[in-house]
Structure formats: C-alpha cells, structure tokens
Amino acid sequence: MGLLARIRKEWFIIGIVGVILSARLQPSFGVKGGPLRPEYTVSYVAVSVIFFNSGLSLKSEELTSAVLHFRLHLLVQSFTLIFFPFAVWLLLKLLALTTINQWLLKGLQTVGCMPPPVSSAVILTKAVGGNEAAAIFNSAFGSFLGIVVTPVLLLLFLGSSSSVPFSSIFSQLFVTVVVPLLLGQVCRRFLRERLERRKLPFGTVSSFILLLIIYTTFCDTFSNPDVELEPTSLLAVVLTIFSIQMSFMLMIFLFTTRSGSGFTPADTVAIMFCSTHKSLTLGIPMLKIVFSGYQQLSVMSVPLLIYHPAQILLGSLLVPSIKAWMTSRQKAVKLTSLTPI
C-alpha cells in the first residue's frame, strides 16, 4: 500500500494527532470564551449535528431481520452495558494502588460505560462473514440504549461536574442527543431512497465534527498549566486497554462456542465484536456534556481516544484467523449433518 493510500485510509487517526498538536500550539483559540466559542458551537451545534447525522444514516429498517434472536441481543447488551463497566470498575480498584494517573483511570471507567459503535463492529463482522444482521441490530440498538444508560453509568461510577446539576445534564442530553437523533430518523423515512442512491458520506461528516470536539477539549487542557500526563501512565493505560480487549474477546469466544450454547460460528463473530467495541462518536460528545467543567476532561478522554484505534487494529489483525476458524467450523457442521446416522 502506497503512502497516499495509507494516509487516506488512516486520515482520522492522523487527524486526531493533528488537532491535539494544534491545540498544544494555540490553545487560546478553542478554549471556553475564545474565538471559536465552543460552549455554543461545540456543546450544542456540533454535538447535535453528530447525532442528527447518526439518525439520518442509521438503517433502522434493517433491524427487523435480526430482532427475533433475543438470546444473542440479551448477551451483547448485558455484556456491553452491565458486565463490562462493572468488570472495569473492579480492575480499577487494583490499578488505583499503582502510580497510574487517577484521571486516566477515570477515563478507563468511561470507556467501560460506552455503548457499542455504529460502524466498526459491523464492518469487521462483515469482513469475517459473520452474522451481519445481528451486528447491525446490536450496534444500532446499543446506540439508542446508550443515550439513556451511558450517562446513568457515568454518573453512577464517577459522579458529575459539581457545576452542572443532574437535571441540567439530562436536559442537555435530550436537546443535543435525543431530539437530533429522532429528527434524523424521521427525515430518513422520507429521504431513504435518495440517501441510499447518493451514498452520502455520513461517517466522514461525523468524523470531522468529532475532530473539532477533540480539538476544543484539548485546548481546555493545554490552557491549564496544572494538567500533566506522565509517559509511564500513558503506556500502562495502552497495555491495559489491549489486555481488556483481548481477554474479553477470548471470554466471549469461549462462552459462545461451548457445547450447548446455541450460537452458530457466525453468531460468535458478531457477539465478539459488538460486545467488546466501544463508540468514540457517541462517547466524546457525552463526556463533553456529563463532565462539563472538569479541567481534566481531555485526560479522561485519552483512554477512549486510544481504545477506538486499538479495537480496529486488533480486530483487523484477527480477521484472517477468525475467518479461517469460522470456515472450518461451518465445514465441520456441514459434514456432521451429511454423515448418516
């Protein structure tokens, strides 16, 4: 793959690095009260556009084909929004005894509270040849569920900014998340054929807006001289993230492939990706709302910024191995069914 092709493929990761460096060089432009006025342009306009875009692009009409696989959906959603955050909470009890930056640890807890992403789990499931319909359903349903559950989990495990009361947080979530998402879905009902025919770049639009949110978040950090991030803490968090992803994927794999589980190899693939992936697109705006006023907000967002590319990298590396396993399992099942009794 050539350099330009690699840049085009990884432009979002490069963009994250670019906006963080820009914030470091000129933080005054994107701070609260600065020329960009992020307290309005980001907190309301940018977040609303992201969720309107999500509503417009979310193919809810495709969910009916997978809705009856109740056991699979229950496993994915309970693992993602119940087991995952509580398991991370227990792990952090141990990590709190180390010298890792406490705000990075809080950021790891926010990762655990996030819903599944709308796209990456579906893309990887499709690449392997897994149950794509189930992946689409759980990614979409998890996103809707996360609008309510994720803020509650964040407040349960971490509390909120003392300057933003509980009622204010949920009213802002309703205005900037729920309303735009529902409006996007309503618009999709009338524009569905045109949207599918023209293939508009919904993901690219959301990614650009997400870069703006990340930029203003880090502007707040770099304008505060008291915020520091040790390299050893950062390395420890990176290793922890990869360990969490690999151990949870293995856990799901062993659970769904055991004798009598009732799940097919294609189901296992969808469950494995949907249960362990976390949404950056929904996560960063929610953190911006729930933890408004935290000077360490950008440090808290670092684990999620690491988790996003890590889950794509790890998933991509595992695609050939998982595909080979699934093919061999399907052949074995087919041979068993053809063998005379």
Side-chain angles (χ1 to χ4, degrees):
M1 185 182 290
L3 179 60
L4 287 176
R6 173 63 67 181
I7 291 172
R8 277 196 294 267
K9 184 179 180 181
E10 307 294 347
W11 72 269
F12 182 66
I13 305 301
I14 296 170
I16 289 176
V17 176
V19 297
I20 292 174
L21 289 176
S22 298
R24 183 74 179 91
L25 293 171
Q26 190 64 39
S28 60
F29 185 76
V31 296
K32 186 176 180 180
L36 196 58
R37 306 293 287 180
E39 62 270 29
Y40 303 112
T41 58
V42 171
S43 296
Y44 290 93
V45 179
V47 174
S48 297
V49 171
I50 279 185
F51 284 97
F52 176 77
N53 191 48
S54 295
L56 203 59
S57 61
L58 198 59
K59 297 180 179 179
S60 53
E61 63 272 8
E62 292 183 3
L63 307 185
T64 53
S65 62
V67 72
L68 297 178
H69 207 331
F70 180 74
R71 286 180 64 249
L72 188 153
H73 309 323
L74 180 63
L75 175 58
V76 170
Q77 300 305 327
S78 59
F79 190 96
T80 305
L81 296 172
I82 299 176
F83 176 81
F84 202 126
F86 276 96
V88 171
W89 178 73
L90 289 174
L91 174 63
L92 294 184
K93 292 292 184 183
L94 295 175
L95 293 179
L97 302 175
T98 67
T99 58
I100 298 175
N101 185 304
Q102 64 165 331
W103 293 101
L104 285 176
L105 294 181
K106 288 178 184 291
L108 278 173
Q109 185 65 71
T110 68
V111 170
C113 298
M114 292 301 150
V118 175
S119 58
S120 65
V122 176
I123 291 168
L124 289 168
T125 300
K126 185 176 182 179
V128 174
N131 190 338
E132 187 182 356
I136 291 171
F137 178 89
N138 281 284
S139 294
F141 182 66
S143 297
F144 279 119
L145 203 59
I147 291 171
V148 176
V149 177
T150 294
V152 173
L153 289 173
L154 290 172
L155 293 169
L156 173 66
F157 286 110
L158 298 170
S160 69
S161 156
S162 59
S163 62
V164 182
F166 186 87
S167 59
S168 177
I169 291 170
F170 278 91
S171 63
Q172 187 174 351
L173 280 169
F174 182 78
V175 170
T176 59
V177 176
V178 178
V179 172
L181 192 74
L182 293 177
L183 283 175
Q185 281 285 281
V186 171
C187 291
R188 181 175 176 80
R189 289 176 64 92
F190 297 101
L191 303 172
R192 185 173 65 190
E193 291 183 6
R194 185 179 298 179
L195 292 172
E196 292 177 353
R197 187 170 60 249
R198 299 189 67 176
K199 302 291 182 185
L200 297 176
F202 294 112
T204 303
V205 172
S206 290
S207 295
F208 271 112
I209 297 172
L210 200 56
L211 289 177
L212 173 64
I213 295 173
I214 293 168
Y215 169 71
T216 57
T217 300
F218 276 86
C219 281
D220 286 335
T221 294
F222 293 131
S223 64
N224 179 10
D226 297 327
V227 175
E228 295 182 4
L229 194 58
E230 308 88 5
T232 52
S233 290
L234 196 58
L235 178 61
V237 167
V238 171
L239 293 174
T240 301
I241 283 171
F242 274 102
S243 299
I244 288 172
Q245 289 185 9
M246 292 178 70
S247 59
F248 281 7
M249 287 183 78
L250 178 61
M251 189 184 302
I252 286 290
F253 179 81
L254 294 174
F255 181 79
T256 56
T257 56
R258 75 192 194 286
S259 178
S261 68
F263 296 113
T264 66
D267 292 339
T268 294
V269 172
I271 296 168
M272 200 159 50
F273 286 129
C274 291
S275 298
T276 57
H277 280 214
K278 294 293 183 177
S279 177
L280 179 69
T281 307
L282 302 180
I284 293 294
M286 283 190 180
L287 289 181
K288 194 83 174 176
I289 295 170
V290 176
F291 298 109
S292 174
Y294 272 113
Q295 291 184 329
Q296 304 276 359
L297 175 60
S298 64
V299 179
M300 288 177 66
S301 69
V302 166
L304 188 56
L305 293 174
I306 295 171
Y307 197 96
H308 174 75
Q311 68 190 5
I312 295 172
L313 174 62
L314 183 60
S316 300
L317 291 174
L318 290 174
V319 162
S321 301
I322 297 173
K323 194 169 187 176
W325 166 81
M326 195 181 78
T327 303
S328 65
R329 281 292 300 270
Q330 288 175 332
K331 285 180 179 178
V333 170
K334 189 174 182 180
L335 286 173
T336 304
S337 63
L338 293 174
T339 302
I341 301 175

